[in-house]
Each structure stands twice: as C-alpha cells, then as structure tokens.
C-alpha cells in the first residue's frame, strides 16, 4: 500500500505494509470512544518537550533486517537506535489502527484503553503502522528490556501509547527491546 501524501516511508519499510504517522480508526470505534481518545487532560508525569511529534520524521530509530540465526526474530525486522537515546526519554509512539473488535491472532495488537463498561480499545499495527511495530521482545536477546510501553496524553490531550527508554541510556546501534508481557505470551501458547 502507498504512504499518505507528504509522508515518507522510512528505510527498509516493507512494501506490503501501509505506513502512517497518525492513528487510523476502524469502523468498530464509536464517536464517543474517539472523543475519549482525542480529548483528555495532559499527562502530568510526562514532559511534552521530550516527545517526538508524529508529524516529524523519527530520527531516533532505524529498521533493520535481522540476520543473526540465534536471534528469535531471525530473518525478520527489528528496531534499533540510530543515535544515543537518554534514559527515560520518549522514543516514539506506537501507531496503527484503533479498534474495538477482538483481534486475537494479531501479533501487533496493543491495548490502549479499557472503558468502564469493560470494552477494550486496541492499536493494531499488523497491516498499517509506523516504525514502532518492529520493536521486539527482549526474551532470548537480552536479560531485560531497555524500553517500555507507557501510555500518556499529549499537550492537546490525545491518548498515545509511547515507547520510552528505561532507566539507562540506549547506545547508538542497540536494538530497542520491550517486554510484551505475560498475557501476550500466554495468548500465543493458547493459540498453538
């Protein structure tokens, strides 16, 4: 799929995926839920000065093909630091299709919001997304993750799922690694 007008795909972006720098809403998402996502108080614990704004090209990361046979994502892709990233800094946001339907088989689906009525709103980057969809789990690569998924609200109040550096600097060339969480791994073993 082609990128949107004025949006440049990053190097090594697979041609079978749609690149986007902003949320795309699935028809399962109501207007009320869109409003909840787009309008809320700014997160007090996160500094907007450290945020990459999605309208700007992300220059903190690069997508690389993984060629090491011992790597759990061998012959797939990973996300790497293109320059040093300070501890606890915002790296980029996880962008994809916002949905309210179940997507049990997607390996690229994150929970964004759970509503009071129990409805779960997710971000699925299986067919459309940004560089963040290539971040791998740390298991089998390092002893611990060097980044984390943390939700926050921008200065305008939009709810985002950010990827933030952990408590130590990330060196240029290091692979960015998070924990997918026990629930993600449990769901994968149940599907087998």
């Amino acid at each position: 799929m082609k990128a949107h007008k004025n949006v440049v795909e990053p190097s090594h972006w697979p041609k079978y995926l749609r690149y986007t720098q902003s949320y795309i809403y699935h028809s399962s998402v109501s207007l009320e839920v869109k409003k909840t996502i787009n309008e809320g108080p700014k997160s007090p614990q996160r500094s907007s000065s450290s945020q990459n704004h999605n309208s700007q090209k992300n220059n903190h990361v690069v997508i690389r093909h993984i060629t090491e046979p011992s790597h759990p994502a061998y012959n797939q892709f990973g996300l790497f630091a293109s320059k040093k990233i300070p501890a606890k800094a915002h790296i980029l946001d996880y962008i994809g299709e916002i949905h309210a339907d179940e997507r049990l088989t997607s390996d690229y689906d994150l929970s964004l919001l759970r509503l009071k009525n129990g409805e779960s709103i997710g971000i699925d980057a299986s067919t459309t997304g940004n560089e963040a969809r290539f971040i791998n789990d740390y298991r089998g690569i390092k002893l611990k993750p060097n980044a984390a998924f943390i939700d926050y609200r921008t200065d305008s109040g939009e709810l985002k799922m950010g990827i933030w550096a952990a408590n130590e600097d990330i060196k240029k060339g290091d692979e960015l690694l998070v924990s997918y969480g026990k629930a993600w791994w449990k769901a994968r073993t149940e599907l087998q």
Side-chain angles (χ1 to χ4, degrees):
M1 292 184 195
K2 295 285 183 195
H4 285 131
K5 190 184 274 189
N6 300 327
V7 175
V8 178
E9 293 174 351
S11 296
H12 306 289
W13 186 262
K15 297 300 175 200
Y16 58 89
L17 296 171
R18 180 178 174 190
Y19 182 72
T20 184
Q21 294 176 327
S22 58
Y23 289 152
I24 299 194
Y25 286 88
H26 185 263
S27 60
S28 62
V29 179
S30 69
L31 290 175
E32 183 180 335
V33 171
K34 284 182 188 177
K35 184 176 180 181
T36 300
I37 292 170
N38 289 304
E39 300 172 15
K42 179 187 161 200
S43 297
Q45 73 277 17
R46 299 287 166 206
S47 167
S48 63
S49 63
S50 67
Q51 295 172 16
N52 287 327
H53 296 285
N54 288 328
S55 61
Q56 299 173 356
K57 184 174 164 98
N58 189 324
N59 59 5
H60 287 47
V61 297
V62 63
I63 300 165
R64 288 192 188 147
H65 185 246
I66 296 177
T67 58
E68 300 163 26
S70 62
H71 195 290
Y74 171 64
N75 214 20
Q76 298 176 47
F77 293 96
L79 196 62
F80 294 79
S82 60
K83 61 184 177 182
K84 178 183 168 187
I85 301 171
K88 299 184 180 184
H90 177 260
I91 303 169
L92 77 164
D93 294 327
Y94 193 88
I95 301 295
E97 183 180 54
I98 304 294
H99 66 91
D101 56 344
E102 285 195 28
R103 302 201 176 173
L104 300 176
T105 59
S106 174
D107 287 338
Y108 299 91
D109 192 29
L110 292 179
S111 177
L112 176 65
L113 175 66
R114 186 166 300 278
L115 302 173
K116 290 179 184 177
N117 67 6
E119 184 179 18
S120 182
I121 306 302
I123 307 171
D124 187 2
S126 59
T127 61
T128 185
N130 68 345
E131 297 93 333
R133 77 179 303 282
F134 294 106
I135 198 162
N136 288 313
D137 187 271
Y138 76 97
R139 288 165 181 83
I141 304 168
K142 296 283 184 183
L143 294 177
K144 63 181 181 177
N146 60 8
F149 292 116
I150 301 174
D151 62 330
Y152 72 101
R153 288 199 180 263
T154 64
D155 288 340
S156 67
E158 185 177 20
L159 182 62
K160 295 284 190 175
M161 180 59 69
I163 297 174
W164 299 77
N167 295 328
E168 297 174 9
D169 293 349
I170 299 172
K171 296 176 190 165
K172 179 180 178 178
D174 282 356
E175 184 173 5
L176 300 176
L177 300 166
V178 294
S179 173
Y180 287 176
K182 291 178 184 176
W184 189 91
W185 289 105
K186 183 179 179 196
R188 292 309 161 281
T189 54
E190 289 173 356
L191 289 174
Q192 294 177 350

